[in-house]
Amino acid sequence: MKKFLQNKKLLSTFIVIIVIFAVLGGSVSLRNKRNAPLLVQSLGNDIVALGSRIIDVPVGFISGGLNNAHEILNAQDENNHLKRQITNLGQTKVRNASLEKENRQLKAALNLKDTLSGYILINASVISRAPDTWSDLLTINKGSSSGIKKNMAVMCGGGVIGRIVEANAASSKVELITTTDESANRFSVQADVANGKTVHGIITVTANNQLAFTQVVDGRKLKAGTRVYTSGMGGNSPKGLLIGTVTQTTRDSFGLSDQIRIKPAGDISDPSVVTVIERQVAN
Amino acid sequence: MSIFRKWVLAIGLFVAIVVDGVCSFYLHQFMDYGSFGAASLILPISVMLIGLFDDTNENEIWLALGTGIVADIYFYGFIGVYAVFLPLSCWICQKIARFLPEIFWARLIVVLLGTTIFVAYSWLIFNMIGIATTSIHGLLMSLLVNQGWTAGFFVCLYWIWGNLAQDYPFLIDLNAYRV
């Protein structure tokens, strides 16, 4: 012990390692517990985000040009597909308008103001991504000044892609739904079974980075193609946001519970413009 | 202008943080091979190159520490990945540079080794604190993919950081030594 204390290099290394672990543990704890980041942290993040926005303009211009060229090549196929879809669109729009009107009238009759399915949309652009392959974190160009708060759901391409983990004044971090973060809040979801019943569960990620609908009772009743959407029960997201569709139903490795694989509806691989969902009903 | 010259390297590293995030976003879909992917390593490569090109300026270790803290907070929201690796790699690269041949290939080998250690270190930290859960097999496959991308980034960054580190050392105005 005396030799250890007299060896200044060894002692310094030991102290540095302890300091590193203390800073790491402290900052991770702050990240998970605080609803809003520290002022210094928020300011620093917003300054770098401003730089990202500037750099993003020319890079996005080049990338957009390349994407446009690719889309022009696929225009004929896309046109044929849309023509097939458009025949049903008029009827669906009329039906939706009629149902919305009926829904408003029923809510008024029951004196209901906010329900689990009420929400407001906030549109934002993705400006950067965490450089590693594992953490699945994006940075968007809207923050608490636009009404964004921690744990709000984020959508892109017609489905949920993640949730807000940090809201700075002018930028926010989004953790993708495919993250393997053990401390991440999981989406509480539901799906309608063929016999009219509804099954509830949560969304988790399997070992090979695929989405799964877990903690489900009677999960085997779910057929491939069944839509899975948020139930609004978790307290953070509204009801009715599409997560994805069922692709396969299996038992887990212990054979104890059902594991239902889900194909995400949202554009997780290339989300350039996202929509943050602000839940209307009080938590 | 002398103050600006002293801070050119710091501004360059700030731009490197921004470019790292933007490149990661746009190149992400091309960097994935199946369920394995490469990381965008512009920032670690930049700091290692600064250490290899300018082995006498100890201020650059403090600059690397500051850059690491900013990068950690911006990308992850906690401190401990870049804030540890960047100053350590800068210090080690400065030590190595004293006996390493000043040629492209020798520096490339050092940077390839350095980025391998960085990816393994970040994997260890992410698994330790539960931010991400990836198998060792996943790590090893990612390391292989990373080697190719690291070589590409290294070629793009070598002359940029070579010129910046030699002409604009951090907090030193070379014009003060010129007659």
Side-chain angles (χ1 to χ4, degrees):
Chain A
M1 191 64 186
K2 197 177 174 184
K3 274 186 182 175
F4 175 76
L5 290 172
Q6 281 173 344
N7 189 335
K8 281 186 181 175
K9 276 188 182 173
L10 203 62
L11 192 64
S12 309
T13 311
F14 185 68
I15 291 167
V16 166
I17 290 171
I18 287 176
V19 169
I20 289 169
F21 275 105
V23 170
L24 183 66
S27 55
V28 170
S29 172
L30 269 179
R31 176 186 189 264
N32 293 338
K33 284 180 185 168
R34 284 184 70 94
N35 279 331
L38 299 170
L39 186 67
V40 180
Q41 187 180 349
S42 178
L43 187 72
N45 282 340
D46 286 342
I47 291 169
V48 185
L50 181 70
S52 291
R53 279 193 209 183
I54 295 165
I55 299 280
D56 193 54
V57 173
V59 178
F61 185 73
I62 296 165
S63 170
L66 292 173
N67 281 343
N68 287 344
H70 183 251
E71 278 168 14
I72 287 168
L73 292 173
N74 292 331
Q76 185 61 49
D77 289 341
E78 199 176 320
N79 195 28
N80 292 339
H81 174 74
L82 289 173
K83 270 181 183 169
R84 283 194 295 272
Q85 296 281 320
I86 212 161
T87 49
N88 297 324
L89 188 63
Q91 181 57 38
T92 311
K93 273 173 118 178
V94 172
R95 186 173 158 75
N96 272 351
S98 158
L99 288 171
E100 268 182 24
K101 191 178 172 188
E102 189 181 313
N103 196 15
R104 270 199 305 273
Q105 285 169 350
L106 288 170
K107 277 182 180 176
L110 290 168
N111 204 16
L112 283 174
K113 282 181 182 167
D114 291 332
T115 61
L116 284 175
S117 56
Y119 57 82
I120 293 173
L121 307 174
I122 304 163
N123 291 318
S125 296
V126 179
I127 49 173
S128 80
R129 186 181 179 117
D132 68 284
T133 54
W134 302 304
S135 62
D136 283 341
L137 286 166
L138 305 174
T139 307
I140 59 171
N141 67 348
K142 294 271 175 73
S144 54
S145 58
S146 304
I148 292 176
K149 288 181 191 138
K150 192 177 178 179
N151 282 326
M152 283 182 174
V154 179
M155 294 184 77
C156 176
V160 174
I161 61 159
R163 67 164 82 244
I164 301 287
V165 287
E166 187 184 297
N168 305 300
S171 65
S172 304
K173 284 193 190 75
V174 178
E175 192 169 53
L176 292 180
I177 199 168
T178 48
T179 182
T180 50
D181 185 352
E182 288 165 5
S183 63
N185 279 329
R186 297 294 170 194
F187 283 95
S188 163
V189 292
Q190 65 183 52
D192 298 326
V193 191
N195 61 7
K197 287 187 176 173
T198 304
V199 291
H200 291 262
I202 58 166
I203 292 292
T204 53
V205 179
T206 60
N208 50 355
N209 278 5
Q210 286 189 320
L211 288 190
F213 183 13
T214 53
Q215 298 186 15
V216 191
V217 180
D218 283 344
R220 273 166 293 173
K221 287 179 183 170
L222 290 168
K223 299 273 184 299
T226 308
R227 289 182 170 205
V228 178
Y229 49 90
T230 54
S231 64
M233 300 293 186
N236 293 316
S237 324
K239 184 181 179 178
L241 305 179
L242 184 64
I243 300 281
T245 48
V246 173
T247 53
Q248 195 186 14
T249 306
T250 53
R251 303 291 279 180
D252 70 358
S253 53
F254 301 105
L256 296 173
S257 63
D258 296 319
Q259 198 177 61
I260 300 143
R261 297 251 170 95
I262 291 175
K263 185 186 171 194
D267 188 359
I268 290 172
S269 60
D270 186 23
S272 49
V273 178
V274 297
T275 307
V276 183
I277 311 293
E278 185 183 349
R279 185 175 139 123
Q280 282 292 285
V281 70
N283 290 329
Chain B
M1 276 308 280
S2 69
I3 289 177
F4 177 72
R5 274 196 294 273
K6 284 178 184 177
W7 286 86
V8 163
L9 219 52
I11 296 165
L13 281 175
F14 176 79
V15 173
I17 294 175
V18 170
V19 172
D20 211 358
V22 174
C23 275
S24 175
F25 174 57
Y26 284 104
L27 296 178
H28 179 75
Q29 43 196 320
F30 308 108
M31 293 170 109
D32 282 352
Y33 296 91
S35 52
F36 313 108
S40 172
L41 299 165
I42 291 171
L43 195 57
I45 294 171
S46 302
V47 169
M48 281 190 275
L49 281 174
I50 290 171
L52 288 170
F53 274 104
D54 184 7
D55 59 343
T56 53
N57 189 356
E58 287 185 358
N59 294 330
E60 278 152 11
I61 297 168
W62 294 105
L63 175 66
L65 177 66
T67 308
I69 291 170
V70 173
D72 268 344
I73 289 174
Y74 179 65
F75 290 127
Y76 305 121
F78 64 87
I79 298 167
V81 179
Y82 286 104
V84 173
F85 182 81
L86 295 189
L88 197 66
S89 65
C90 185
W91 177 70
I92 291 171
C93 283
Q94 284 190 340
K95 296 279 179 201
I96 291 172
R98 285 167 199 173
F99 59 84
L100 193 79
E102 291 181 345
I103 54 169
F104 179 87
W105 297 108
R107 285 168 174 157
L108 175 62
I109 291 165
V110 172
V111 169
L112 284 174
L113 275 172
T115 49
T116 303
I117 294 166
F118 173 71
V119 173
Y121 171 72
S122 43
W123 174 85
L124 182 73
I125 293 290
F126 289 148
N127 276 271
M128 204 166 70
I129 61 176
I131 290 280
T133 316
T134 317
S135 63
I136 292 182
H137 177 245
L139 165 71
L140 294 175
M141 292 304 291
S142 290
L143 285 176
L144 279 178
V145 182
N146 266 310
Q147 296 296 303
W149 279 96
T150 301
F153 283 130
F154 180 86
V155 171
C156 298
L157 297 169
Y158 186 79
W159 284 274
I160 297 171
W161 288 109
N163 287 325
L164 285 177
Q166 284 169 340
D167 296 345
Y168 304 98
F170 183 55
L171 293 184
I172 293 171
D173 183 10
L174 287 181
N175 278 356
Y177 298 97
R178 289 177 185 135
V179 182

